[in-house]
Amino acid sequence: MGLTISEFYSRTGGNYQEVISHLADEKRVARFLKMFLSDPSFESLEEALEQGNVQEAFRAVHTLKGVCLNMGFSGLYKECNKVTEDLSSGNLEAGMQNMPALRQRYRSIVESIGQLDQV
């Protein structure tokens, strides 16, 4: 038996009440969670950081931060915000130092989406 949407948000440090208020019901939330798996922002961020491209990395993490806000991913949003602030000032090194926590939160969400009943 997999996770419920509510359990998913509890496990991943998200805000279930917030996302339900935005998206209205769990069926719609489940559909958006599935769509999250194909969002390219995280991969774009990783590629840009690997290439040392601060501007592209900033764009990617800023986009990911917006997705997190819309999806109620509070924990991942906070990690994205740290990296966004670092990169907005051009500080690639600081952004890289904050990436392990962001990666961990992101992977936790992706793994947990795979364990949902409704997805």
Side-chain angles (χ1 to χ4, degrees):
M1 187 167 172
L3 296 173
T4 65
I5 299 289
S6 178
E7 290 168 338
F8 165 82
Y9 276 91
S10 179
R11 175 183 281 188
T12 60
N15 189 328
Y16 173 78
Q17 294 303 325
E18 183 178 305
V19 77
I20 286 295
S21 73
H22 289 297
L23 297 178
D25 63 52
E26 287 194 356
K27 188 174 181 179
R28 194 165 182 199
V29 173
R31 192 170 74 238
F32 277 89
L33 288 172
K34 188 173 183 178
M35 289 170 48
F36 177 78
L37 295 175
S38 61
D39 181 88
S41 303
F42 180 77
E43 288 80 14
S44 296
L45 170 61
E46 291 280 42
E47 287 175 21
L49 289 173
E50 189 175 300
Q51 296 168 0
N53 187 332
V54 176
Q55 287 181 321
E56 286 301 315
F58 173 79
R59 279 190 211 120
V61 76
H62 192 269
T63 300
L64 182 58
K65 184 175 86 166
V67 170
C68 292
L69 186 63
N70 290 330
M71 291 302 303
F73 297 158
S74 307
L76 182 56
Y77 173 84
K78 290 175 187 171
E79 299 305 328
C80 287
N81 196 50
K82 290 177 191 175
V83 175
T84 300
E85 288 180 12
D86 295 333
L87 296 177
S88 71
S89 64
N91 193 339
L92 181 63
E93 185 176 316
M96 296 286 280
Q97 289 175 354
N98 283 313
M99 280 300 294
L102 189 152
R103 281 185 195 104
Q104 181 181 10
R105 290 274 187 177
Y106 179 83
R107 289 182 182 134
S108 173
I109 287 171
V110 169
E111 288 172 14
S112 295
I113 290 172
Q115 297 172 10
L116 284 169
D117 285 332
Q118 290 115 327
V119 175

